[in-house]
Amino acid sequence: MIIKNFLIATICLMVSSNIQTSPITVEKSIDHTEDTIVAVIDSKINTEHENITNDCLDGKSFIIDESNTEGHGTAVAGAVIKYSTIAAKTLGKENKVSILPIEINVTDIQRDYGDLLSQSIQYAVDEGADVINMSFSSAVANINVYEKIRYGIENGVVFVSAAGNSGLDSYSFPAAYEGVISVGSCTSINDGYARSSFSNCNDDVDLLIDGEKMILPDNRGYSEKTGTSYSSGAISGIIGELISIYPEINPEHIVYALFDTAISVEGKGTGYGVVDIIKANNYLKELYETGISPITKKDFNGKESDKLLLPVLNKVSAGRSHIAYVENENIKVYDKTNLNSTSLNSWKNVIKAYAGRDNTAAINSNNVPMATGYNVFNKNILRGWIDINELSLASNFTAGLTYGGNVYVTDYLKTIEGNDLTDVIQISTGAHHVAAVTKTGKLLTKGYNLYNQMDTDEWKNIIYSSSNTRNTAAIDVNGNAYATGDNLYGQCNVSKWKDIVSIVVGDGFIIGLKKDGTVTATGRNIYDVCKTDDLKNIKFIDASETYFIAIDNQNNIFIKGRMKQ
């Protein structure tokens, strides 16, 4: 077993001393003469196949009755090796990826409520896997499985999964779990790429790569394979090879290099686009040399903000791929292409609206909350919640603040011990934590501190907070800004901001609204989201993963960046 002890120095805590750590270094107690390990959790892998036998470690089986020997696992393992080799040759290196074969029978997942799958993930992490590939799907989220995925994330493991082959916009798990890379398939067209017709087209897809008519090993020799299972294996192989080339860089930042350099593809279910190995390598070279991402905000002109023609008079909420707002006491949803409130028509007397990653919520005039959408870990079950003043929607849970200053959370955080969240005046949430501003100006947190995004104990006189998966930010009574968590893009560097009246956090970027109505930004300049010079007389801002919205004094709504597709 290879033991890894990650000291992730991508974390910064911006306090009055303005001290922060290096943004990229990762120390591992691992011999880098050894190959990167990609665990393939799948059906039985033919480890004697000529294509993969020299690259396979000894693995383990987690099955109830019998093996599935149809060859799916063998083909996925073949895709890992094929694309790790392609990446290595493209970059003038030798393939340094080994397969850790872990056998499951997908039908067992439904029979044992995911117990064996959970065990298999734990085994892969403990055996030193750098990447875990999961090319299978279920329509239902399983908290026991996700706890093991979170355990892997805490130990620096990258998780990759197939988006699914129905061609629909529905979500499948494990691909749709927070922290798992969802991979779809693409095909080449005359002027670029397009999503394969069978590849699921939901807004959770992260990356695309060829998954059509791939010649891969099976249990009888070789055959032609099509599906996102093999696309997932391909991405796992590429990531594994890049980890071996850049052992000093946090593996999660290697993933973001693929996101930030992908070739954009139009249409739903295309994520950041198609992987570009050479661009990703150049990005990682610069990151290694300079210590900060190449797409961190720089002084160049971005495009003007898009203006949305919406009849908005009240607070607006930005979700991953939709915007929610209130009109005539009804909740309305804008999803980039049309206004659609069909599924929400039964909600009446709505006074506040909220857009989440994959759900929508509201509070009515009786201060009762409602939620709909994907009910991951029962995050839409708000029974017994009354006197609610505010909601905050995270990918794994929902939090509610009562007028009395108490905080409710749904199942994912319900059993977590920690700060007693009382006398609270405002809340925000990331995937794994809730942040609560108290009447005394403290910012209390509760949850799982995966990215040091909960390190807020030293902050004082706080009046407002904002959170995302990897970061928490806040402002104090004097308009000073604070930020903590991952700092790949320098997004925590807000200590010099002054006169800030509101602050919001996206995925790798932070936006501040100043007292004079102008907007400042720092961090990941994906889709020019950080170019804010054209925004004037702004009174409200809100952000999601890859964009933010701003409302001016004339109630015009502007959008910077781009919604997930």
Side-chain angles (χ1 to χ4, degrees), residues 112-126:
D112 72 343
Y113 303 100
D115 180 61
L116 286 173
L117 176 56
S118 299
Q119 292 182 43
S120 70
I121 295 171
Q122 172 98 36
Y123 170 79
V125 175
D126 292 345

Side-chain angles (χ1 to χ4, degrees), residues 434-469:
V434 57
V437 180
T438 69
K439 292 179 181 178
T440 59
K442 293 182 178 180
L443 184 59
L444 303 179
T445 58
K446 191 172 186 177
Y448 303 98
N449 198 17
L450 272 67
Y451 308 97
N452 285 14
Q453 81 282 6
M454 293 168 55
D455 292 354
T456 63
D457 291 346
E458 301 299 319
W459 300 358
K460 298 179 180 179
N461 302 315
I462 301 301
I463 59 172
Y464 186 82
S465 71
S466 179
S467 301
N468 201 291
T469 298

Side-chain angles (χ1 to χ4, degrees), residues 327-509:
E327 181 185 9
N328 298 325
E329 296 187 339
N330 293 308
I331 189 168
K332 298 288 185 178
V333 172
Y334 170 81
D335 66 359
K336 189 177 181 182
T337 57
N338 63 348
L339 294 174
N340 181 2
S341 59
T342 303
S343 63
L344 307 172
N345 282 341
S346 62
W347 294 3
K348 305 298 181 184
N349 303 315
V350 173
I351 58 173
K352 296 178 181 178
Y354 300 88
R357 185 175 189 246
D358 48 20
N359 64 337
T360 305
I363 301 173
N364 67 19
S365 57
N366 293 318
N367 303 321
V368 175
M370 303 156 283
T372 188
Y374 267 77
N375 192 30
V376 178
F377 310 139
N378 295 322
K379 66 181 179 181
N380 294 332
I381 307 301
L382 311 179
R383 290 194 198 96
W385 290 24
I386 57 174
D387 194 35
I388 299 298
N389 179 31
E390 181 183 340
L391 293 174
S392 186
L393 310 186
S395 54
N396 290 329
F397 69 99
T398 299
L401 173 63
T402 71
Y403 277 94
N406 296 313
V407 177
Y408 294 143
V409 292
T410 53
D411 290 0
Y412 183 68
L413 291 188
K414 191 173 288 186
T415 60
I416 295 294
E417 296 182 358
N419 288 316
D420 184 17
L421 304 183
T422 58
D423 292 327
V424 173
I425 60 173
Q426 187 261 340
I427 58 173
S428 62
T429 55
H432 305 286
H433 77 291
V434 57
V437 180
T438 69
K439 292 179 181 178
T440 59
K442 293 182 178 180
L443 184 59
L444 303 179
T445 58
K446 191 172 186 177
Y448 303 98
N449 198 17
L450 272 67
Y451 308 97
N452 285 14
Q453 81 282 6
M454 293 168 55
D455 292 354
T456 63
D457 291 346
E458 301 299 319
W459 300 358
K460 298 179 180 179
N461 302 315
I462 301 301
I463 59 172
Y464 186 82
S465 71
S466 179
S467 301
N468 201 291
T469 298
R470 294 166 180 81
N471 292 105
T472 300
I475 54 175
D476 66 19
V477 293
N478 297 313
N480 300 308
Y482 304 78
T484 186
D486 184 89
N487 201 35
L488 169 62
Y489 303 96
Q491 65 265 37
C492 291
N493 303 342
V494 299
S495 62
K496 294 183 180 180
W497 287 9
K498 303 297 180 184
D499 299 321
I500 304 298
V501 296
S502 184
I503 196 165
V504 292
V505 181
D507 188 3
F509 62 90

Side-chain angles (χ1 to χ4, degrees), residues 166-416:
S166 70
L168 303 176
D169 61 0
S170 56
Y171 299 104
S172 63
F173 300 90
Y177 287 127
E178 172 70 43
V180 176
I181 303 166
S182 177
V183 182
S185 172
C186 69
T187 185
S188 298
I189 56 177
N190 291 335
D191 56 350
Y193 299 93
R195 176 182 60 85
S196 299
S197 59
F198 59 83
S199 185
N200 280 13
C201 58
N202 61 66
D203 60 359
D204 188 64
V205 173
D206 294 306
L207 293 170
L208 299 178
I209 198 167
D210 183 25
E212 298 188 16
K213 298 181 179 180
M214 299 171 66
I215 304 301
L216 296 171
D218 60 21
N219 286 348
R220 293 169 295 279
Y222 295 87
S223 61
E224 188 176 89
K225 301 290 185 180
T226 292
T228 59
S229 288
Y230 315 110
S231 299
S232 177
I235 293 294
S236 291
I238 292 169
I239 293 172
E241 187 59 35
L242 290 174
I243 289 173
S244 74
I245 296 171
Y246 296 99
E248 302 88 353
I249 296 179
N250 183 341
E252 188 172 73
H253 294 171
I254 290 175
V255 171
Y256 271 85
L258 295 177
F259 291 169
D260 293 344
T261 59
I263 302 167
S264 184
V265 177
E266 289 300 316
K268 294 175 62 177
T270 56
Y272 291 104
V274 179
V275 167
D276 189 317
I277 295 171
I278 294 176
K279 286 184 178 179
N281 182 62
N282 292 338
Y283 178 113
L284 290 167
K285 281 184 180 178
E286 185 173 341
L287 173 61
Y288 177 73
E289 292 168 358
T290 66
I292 198 162
S293 164
I295 73 160
T296 295
K297 179 186 175 184
K298 295 183 173 70
D299 293 326
F300 57 84
N301 294 323
K303 70 185 183 88
E304 290 188 1
S305 305
D306 293 330
K307 185 176 179 180
L308 303 182
L309 300 177
L310 301 179
V312 175
L313 298 177
N314 296 308
K315 177 182 175 182
V316 183
S317 179
R320 178 169 61 187
S321 62
H322 72 293
I323 295 170
Y325 64 98
V326 179
E327 181 185 9
N328 298 325
E329 296 187 339
N330 293 308
I331 189 168
K332 298 288 185 178
V333 172
Y334 170 81
D335 66 359
K336 189 177 181 182
T337 57
N338 63 348
L339 294 174
N340 181 2
S341 59
T342 303
S343 63
L344 307 172
N345 282 341
S346 62
W347 294 3
K348 305 298 181 184
N349 303 315
V350 173
I351 58 173
K352 296 178 181 178
Y354 300 88
R357 185 175 189 246
D358 48 20
N359 64 337
T360 305
I363 301 173
N364 67 19
S365 57
N366 293 318
N367 303 321
V368 175
M370 303 156 283
T372 188
Y374 267 77
N375 192 30
V376 178
F377 310 139
N378 295 322
K379 66 181 179 181
N380 294 332
I381 307 301
L382 311 179
R383 290 194 198 96
W385 290 24
I386 57 174
D387 194 35
I388 299 298
N389 179 31
E390 181 183 340
L391 293 174
S392 186
L393 310 186
S395 54
N396 290 329
F397 69 99
T398 299
L401 173 63
T402 71
Y403 277 94
N406 296 313
V407 177
Y408 294 143
V409 292
T410 53
D411 290 0
Y412 183 68
L413 291 188
K414 191 173 288 186
T415 60
I416 295 294

Side-chain angles (χ1 to χ4, degrees), residues 117-163:
L117 176 56
S118 299
Q119 292 182 43
S120 70
I121 295 171
Q122 172 98 36
Y123 170 79
V125 175
D126 292 345
E127 286 297 303
D130 299 277
V131 182
I132 297 178
N133 187 87
M134 303 176 291
S135 290
F136 48 84
S137 64
S138 171
V140 180
N142 183 305
I143 187 63
N144 297 317
V145 171
Y146 189 68
E147 285 176 351
K148 298 305 181 183
I149 290 174
R150 189 180 66 235
Y151 169 70
I153 294 172
E154 290 172 339
N155 284 277
V157 178
V158 175
F159 288 84
V160 186
S161 184

